[in-house]
Amino acid sequence: MIIKQSLSEQRIIDCLKIYYNIEITTLTPLLLGADMNASVYKAQGLDQKSYFVKLKSGHNHDIGVILLNLLHNEGIQQIIPPIKTSQGLLTQHIDECTLILYPYIENQNGFSQILTDDQWIILGKVLRKVHEFKMPATIQDQIRREEYSPKWRDIVRSLYDHIEIKPIEDHWAKKLTMFMKEHKNEIDRLLDSAQLLGQKLQQESVEFVLCHADIHGGNVLIGENGSIYIVDWDQPIMAPKERDLMFIGGGVANVWNNPHEEEFFYKGYGKTKINMPILAYYRHERIVEDIAEYAQEFLFTTAEENKSEMYQHFIAMFEPRGVVDIAFRTVMSKERHV
């Protein structure tokens, strides 16, 4: 079960005063992202500045922020560094949560606005710099490494067992489980292919690089002046570069599935060999993870907030040219050099 941990808005305002010495006049919740364990806000300061406030459950989120700060210090201007506390800390632990503060940038994201050719080139250049970043020895052991874990596949299989034996009364949970039953053949195909590909990759020796791990359109912001920014560095991982490259042409939210966009991205990224079985594995595994997280949210929480929109996101994965279609086609693709 996914539990969203949060603080009261007044508590957040008080903490921004105590730890950042910033007087906040208004704090507005933002309905952004699919992370069930995070809350985000726009804060308006008495200093006339706007701030982006992120609140995460638990105290295990420092490594992503440390990396973000290091990458920005390397000269990657497309990364927004966190604002430090009055004590010079990058994050602030409060109760059972981690508070992170950023400057607020008025923006659209890659889901709502099409990137220009130049922006695709810039995104490619930035991601290449991330993948070539030399990790300081002091933090290497703190970053998770790819293990090709069956965790999400096991969860989805157990969810099918759950929905077969337990009556479901909730309206949205019933709709989602009915859809899962109707598309069981496709989901079984995803599970089986991900398992087979993952088992093969465990036997191979592949170079691991620093990966953002979730660089879809929603995590690429487009500022008013056309600048782009990569955000949400909560889950960095050492993995094959295809862990990130799967999103380029991957069709998440039915965007970024245009060959023209891939062409300009790789103009920026530069020449590289794409390992298609690895790309296929990640595209399958990502869908399996989304199925697991959506289904758990629908089955094991009672809140109705946003479930209609979440249901539409779920079924969109199975539409023509959606992520499932693209993942199946990736398995059949030949080795690529770009």
Side-chain angles (χ1 to χ4, degrees):
M1 183 183 302
I2 300 172
I3 301 174
K4 191 168 183 175
Q5 186 79 31
S6 190
L7 303 176
S8 72
E9 292 182 10
Q10 186 57 52
R11 176 83 166 116
I12 296 171
I13 291 172
D14 292 343
C15 288
L16 291 173
K17 170 61 177 174
I18 295 169
Y19 297 110
Y20 292 87
N21 197 29
I22 297 173
E23 295 271 8
I24 298 300
T25 56
T26 58
L27 186 70
T28 306
L30 301 173
L31 300 176
L32 298 175
D35 188 345
M36 310 304 175
N37 293 306
S39 300
V40 293
Y41 305 84
K42 179 180 180 181
Q44 189 64 43
L46 194 62
D47 56 6
Q48 303 303 310
K49 295 180 181 178
S50 297
Y51 301 91
F52 183 85
V53 182
K54 188 164 191 174
L55 194 68
K56 296 277 293 183
S57 298
H59 293 169
N60 300 316
H61 311 290
D62 290 358
I63 188 61
V65 181
I66 291 170
L67 272 175
L68 188 155
N69 198 56
L70 288 172
L71 290 168
H72 186 267
N73 290 342
E74 282 286 302
I76 303 178
Q77 298 303 311
Q78 291 76 19
I79 290 176
I80 306 170
I83 297 172
K84 294 181 180 180
T85 69
S86 301
Q87 299 298 314
L89 303 176
L90 296 171
T91 65
Q92 181 62 53
H93 297 160
I94 303 165
D95 301 335
E96 297 300 318
C97 300
T98 298
L99 179 68
I100 312 167
L101 187 67
Y102 300 92
Y104 188 90
I105 296 176
E106 296 291 344
N107 65 79
Q108 299 289 322
N109 65 37
F111 285 158
S112 58
Q113 183 171 319
I114 297 173
L115 273 64
T116 66
D117 294 347
D118 286 343
Q119 288 167 340
W120 275 112
I121 291 171
I122 292 170
L123 181 60
K125 288 180 178 179
V126 172
L127 204 55
R128 187 64 176 249
K129 289 180 181 178
V130 171
H131 291 168
E132 293 179 344
F133 178 68
K134 301 302 180 185
M135 194 69 58
T138 52
I139 62 171
Q140 281 184 0
D141 293 340
Q142 300 178 51
I143 301 173
R144 63 194 177 111
R145 294 182 63 84
E146 181 60 80
E147 297 177 344
Y148 310 106
S149 168
K151 170 186 173 181
W152 299 111
R153 283 167 261 145
D154 292 345
I155 289 174
V156 172
R157 290 190 174 101
S158 69
L159 286 170
Y160 269 108
D161 294 337
H162 177 86
I163 63 181
E164 289 294 342
I165 64 175
K166 185 173 181 179
I168 297 171
E169 303 297 332
D170 178 79
H171 169 71
W172 288 111
K174 188 178 294 186
K175 282 179 69 70
L176 183 128
T177 55
M178 186 177 299
F179 185 89
M180 287 179 64
K181 289 178 181 179
E182 291 171 352
H183 291 265
K184 188 173 188 301
N185 288 341
E186 291 161 278
I187 293 173
D188 283 345
R189 183 179 169 189
L190 286 165
L191 293 168
D192 293 343
S193 291
Q195 181 168 321
L196 182 61
L197 289 163
Q199 288 173 343
K200 288 182 177 179
L201 294 177
Q202 285 179 321
Q203 308 306 316
E204 295 184 10
S205 178
V206 182
E207 181 186 7
F208 280 15
V209 300
L210 173 63
C211 292
H212 176 282
D214 200 25
I215 192 162
H216 53 64
N219 286 331
V220 174
L221 305 185
I222 305 163
E224 291 181 327
N225 62 354
S227 298
I228 66 168
Y229 303 92
I230 300 173
V231 298
D232 198 355
W233 290 81
D234 291 341
Q235 298 292 329
I237 187 171
M238 298 301 296
K241 64 182 183 300
E242 287 81 5
R243 180 68 180 84
D244 282 341
L245 297 180
M246 71 161 169
F247 292 101
I248 312 303
V252 173
N254 284 343
V255 300
W256 290 17
N257 52 12
N258 187 325
H260 175 85
E261 296 169 336
E262 284 191 82
E263 176 189 349
F264 279 87
F265 170 84
Y266 283 107
K267 280 187 177 181
Y269 189 87
K271 292 183 178 180
T272 191
K273 174 184 173 183
I274 300 176
N275 186 313
M276 296 309 292
I278 298 179
L279 196 73
Y281 166 77
Y282 279 120
R283 286 180 173 172
H284 281 68
E285 191 69 17
R286 171 55 188 252
I287 299 166
V288 172
E289 179 180 347
D290 283 347
I291 291 170
E293 292 201 326
Y294 274 110
Q296 287 182 107
E297 177 71 8
F298 274 69
L299 290 170
F300 304 125
T301 66
T302 57
E304 289 293 310
E305 183 181 2
N306 298 327
K307 281 193 175 177
S308 173
E309 182 179 355
M310 291 172 64
Y311 177 76
Q312 295 303 319
H313 289 322
F314 187 93
I315 66 175
M317 294 193 293
F318 295 83
E319 293 176 355
R321 297 187 67 210
V323 289
V324 174
D325 185 21
I326 292 171
F328 289 160
R329 284 192 277 115
T330 306
V331 174
M332 309 302 294
S333 299
K334 296 180 179 179
E335 182 179 286
R336 287 179 62 190
H337 291 263
V338 293

